[in-house]
Amino acid sequence: MVHKYILFGYNIAIDVESGAVHILSDVAYKMLDYIDLMLKESDTLPKDCPMDMRYQLAKYDGSEVNGAYAEILELYEKNMLFSKPFDIDGMEPDTFGQVPIKAMCLHISHDCNMACKYCFAGKGNFGIDKGEKYMSEETGIKAIEFLLKNSAGRKNLEVDFFGGEPLLNFETVKNIVAKTRESEKEKNKNVRFTLTTNGTLLDDEKIAYINENISNIVLSLDGLQTTNDNMRTYGDGESGVYADIVPLYKKLVESRGDKDYYVRGTFTRNNLNFAKDAIHIAELGFKNVSIEPVVAEEEDGYSIRKQDLPIVFREYELLAREIIRKKRRDDDSLNFFHFNIDLDGGPCVYKRVKGCGAGCEYVAVTPDGDIYPCHQFVGNSEYKLGNVLSEDINKKLMSQFYQNNIMSNEYCKDCWVKYFCGGGCVANNVKFNKDIYTPYEIACEMEKKRIECAVAIKIATEMTD
């Protein structure tokens, strides 16, 4: 399978199975269509360009046609164009207990001091708690023990402190980290902590602790002050937070050194021109930026709809052009999360086939210890996997998540972007299509555009003069 497209003046072809990327002449780009048809009828290509293909490409010089065909034939024979699919049968076991858990989202707080209008978590409590609910140190340690026990041979593990707002339960965060540092040594493990925060409760003490103990921090900010404060407000639903959090974010990042961070925003139908918001965040001094599309029902006025996609695609292209412009000037001040791809190596085939691993390699734990496939499933009792306090686990359900991969899913196996996206977000699939197997079409289309832009950035800044 080959995906071809034109962007920023480049004729680009991506060989799906090998991952090879090619920049083509006009005649070679056109020729791919005819070769694709030929290979559907035969699994070999002739040594010389067929006469009917020369006839179809008669407007081009004959030597140019022959040269393009010879180059494509060589790439085909090297398995770099129209390469054969991977055979993943037997690569990994498919039962829980053999598939190790490698990452956990700890819902340290089902409470929040903000009232963001697009919040998928029901203003912090995920619709399952009456009032605020905080994870106890005991439950947090049990969750860590569950992770260590079920991580099998994996040494490097990930734990994300999530909410609600995790800083509302900060002492418990610190206690869990301290206890984990003791227990991980005994188990020969290395736990890497992330914390996701709205930033409003940061102070010098918390900033110092985070920068010393938290490997990655995700800071919520939607972009320009008008954009941010339209959707992200304090609990009164009126007062925006931009002016309060930006100085705190700057203090944290400036004192963080080379440790990881991301400033993470959300764009909605209210700010489809989100490229300017991403650029604004970078201009504030925050290099690592992620602007995610809102996930909301169509009846919500701010939800992204199919008719909005051309505008969204345009914004991704504007953002990609800005990154190209910067990189050509040796300016790396804008690192956009969704444009980060590795064309030289990247994840192994198994990782690309499985995707995020929600429900088998990755789980979320609530303040009560309940286990869900990921943070976006929390509150959906149909997908509750068990509880860390009792260590009960629904192995059958976890196995279903494991077996749902891009090679077994009929919607994904013939999609050109499958190895980049890993099948997309199963929580979105359930939200919009009521099962884990049917992809959320709008998200699929946006991912395709992001990958097209990401590859074009690589070509424009690394693969050409």
Side-chain angles (χ1 to χ4, degrees):
M1 187 191 320
V2 173
H3 174 67
K4 71 186 189 83
Y5 64 103
I6 300 172
L7 190 58
F8 306 148
Y10 300 106
N11 298 325
I12 303 169
I14 302 173
D15 184 63
V16 175
E17 299 299 333
S18 71
V21 173
H22 308 284
I23 310 163
L24 303 177
S25 65
D26 289 344
V27 62
Y29 185 83
K30 181 66 175 176
M31 188 178 289
L32 288 185
D33 293 332
Y34 302 115
I35 291 178
D36 187 31
L37 292 174
M38 290 173 61
L39 288 172
K40 288 177 179 177
E41 299 177 357
S42 171
D43 59 358
T44 60
L45 293 177
K47 294 299 181 183
D48 297 314
C49 183
M51 288 301 299
D52 60 340
M53 187 181 297
R54 293 185 191 184
Y55 175 78
Q56 295 289 347
L57 299 170
K59 73 174 185 177
Y60 298 100
D61 180 80
S63 61
E64 187 180 2
V65 172
N66 288 334
Y69 183 82
E71 290 179 3
I72 290 175
L73 177 62
E74 181 181 5
L75 291 171
Y76 172 72
E77 291 176 340
K78 290 181 177 179
N79 211 36
M80 296 176 67
L81 260 181
F82 299 102
S83 55
K84 300 296 187 292
F86 287 109
D87 180 7
I88 65 163
D89 290 343
M91 286 180 61
E92 291 286 338
D94 62 357
T95 57
F96 173 73
Q98 293 174 290
V99 180
I101 298 175
K102 65 179 182 180
M104 176 176 284
C105 181
L106 281 185
H107 286 225
I108 202 75
S109 166
H110 274 190
D111 187 20
C112 190
N113 60 332
M114 289 181 61
C116 302
K117 297 172 186 176
Y118 51 54
C119 182
F120 74 92
K123 306 300 187 290
N125 65 16
F126 290 81
I128 60 176
D129 297 313
K130 294 180 179 179
E132 68 275 4
K133 175 78 66 133
Y134 301 110
M135 180 176 285
S136 68
E137 180 183 336
E138 176 189 8
T139 300
I141 296 303
K142 283 287 188 181
I144 297 294
E145 290 175 352
F146 178 86
L147 173 63
L148 297 177
K149 178 181 177 181
N150 291 289
S151 58
R154 287 190 180 273
K155 180 174 182 178
N156 297 313
L157 308 174
E158 305 274 343
V159 172
D160 180 17
F161 291 112
F162 199 74
E165 173 48 50
L167 297 186
L168 287 167
N169 196 13
F170 192 58
E171 288 303 311
T172 301
V173 168
K174 294 195 294 184
N175 291 338
I176 292 173
V177 170
K179 292 291 179 62
T180 301
R181 292 299 175 228
E182 296 174 6
S183 57
E184 69 179 354
K185 295 177 183 177
E186 300 172 4
K187 303 291 186 180
N188 192 31
K189 304 286 185 179
N190 176 46
V191 179
R192 183 176 183 269
F193 288 104
T194 296
L195 188 145
T196 301
T197 179
N198 63 39
T200 58
L201 300 176
L202 287 170
D203 55 31
D204 290 346
E205 180 184 351
K206 292 185 179 72
I207 288 172
Y209 178 86
I210 287 168
N211 284 345
E212 181 178 351
N213 296 278
I214 303 299
S215 298
N216 187 22
I217 185 160
V218 181
L219 306 166
S220 297
L221 179 70
D222 283 353
L224 291 158
Q225 184 165 5
T226 51
T227 301
N228 185 83
D229 289 355
N230 180 46
M231 300 298 285
R232 301 186 62 81
T233 66
Y234 283 110
D236 61 9
E238 300 294 334
S239 307
V241 302
Y242 179 99
D244 292 336
I245 61 177
V246 168
L248 294 169
Y249 287 174
K250 287 184 176 181
K251 181 178 289 189
L252 185 150
V253 170
E254 288 169 0
S255 60
R256 190 158 175 77
D258 60 357
K259 285 191 172 182
D260 292 338
Y261 76 90
Y262 260 97
V263 174
R264 192 262 192 219
T266 299
F267 73 86
T268 72
R269 204 160 197 255
N270 296 337
N271 66 307
L272 291 174
N273 56 340
F274 59 88
K276 63 179 176 53
D277 291 302
I279 293 168
H280 173 73
I281 291 172
E283 290 174 344
L284 289 173
F286 306 121
K287 171 183 175 179
N288 301 319
V289 180
S290 173
I291 302 285
E292 310 273 349
V294 71
V295 178
E297 303 289 355
E298 186 163 329
E299 55 264 28
D300 295 321
Y302 51 79
S303 64
I304 309 296
R305 300 163 196 184
K306 287 183 181 179
Q307 60 263 38
D308 300 325
L309 288 177
I311 301 174
V312 173
F313 295 167
R314 180 202 66 194
E315 290 299 302
Y316 281 129
E317 289 188 14
L318 287 172
L319 193 51
R321 287 184 184 277
E322 176 65 8
I323 292 172
I324 291 170
R325 185 187 69 82
K326 287 177 175 289
K327 285 182 175 290
R328 285 177 171 172
R329 298 168 57 186
D330 294 323
D331 180 353
D332 65 348
S333 62
L334 177 50
N335 172 35
F336 188 65
F337 177 80
H338 284 296
F339 291 165
N340 288 335
I341 58 172
D342 186 349
L343 297 179
D344 298 319
C348 65
V349 174
Y350 165 66
K351 170 61 180 173
R352 285 182 283 156
V353 166
K354 187 61 197 78
C356 73
C360 51
E361 295 178 319
Y362 168 69
V363 296
V365 179
T366 71
D368 289 326
D370 290 333
I371 306 170
Y372 288 89
C374 80
H375 59 288
Q376 293 197 64
F377 277 97
V378 169
N380 188 336
S381 59
E382 182 180 352
Y383 290 95
K384 179 180 171 182
L385 295 171
N387 190 284
V388 298
L389 299 178
S390 64
E391 296 195 18
D392 292 333
I393 194 75
N394 187 334
K395 298 179 181 180
K396 182 178 179 181
L397 183 54
M398 292 192 86
S399 183
Q400 289 177 19
F401 275 89
Y402 178 82
Q403 292 170 6
N404 177 34
N405 58 64
I406 62 172
M407 304 306 287
S408 64
N409 191 314
E410 62 177 296
Y411 297 97
C412 298
K413 63 183 180 181
D414 295 324
C415 176
W416 72 266
V417 82
K418 59 185 178 181
Y419 291 126
F420 291 103
C421 81
C425 175
V426 289
N428 286 350
N429 296 355
V430 170
K431 181 178 180 67
F432 292 98
N433 297 314
K434 311 307 180 188
D435 64 60
I436 65 175
Y437 309 104
T438 309
Y440 172 41
E441 185 180 356
I442 290 177
C444 291
E445 294 306 309
M446 285 192 280
E447 177 67 358
K448 291 173 185 177
K449 187 61 182 182
R450 290 191 291 255
I451 296 302
E452 287 186 343
C453 288
V455 171
I457 291 170
K458 289 279 189 181
I459 288 172
T461 60
E462 298 179 20
M463 298 173 66
T464 59
D465 294 330

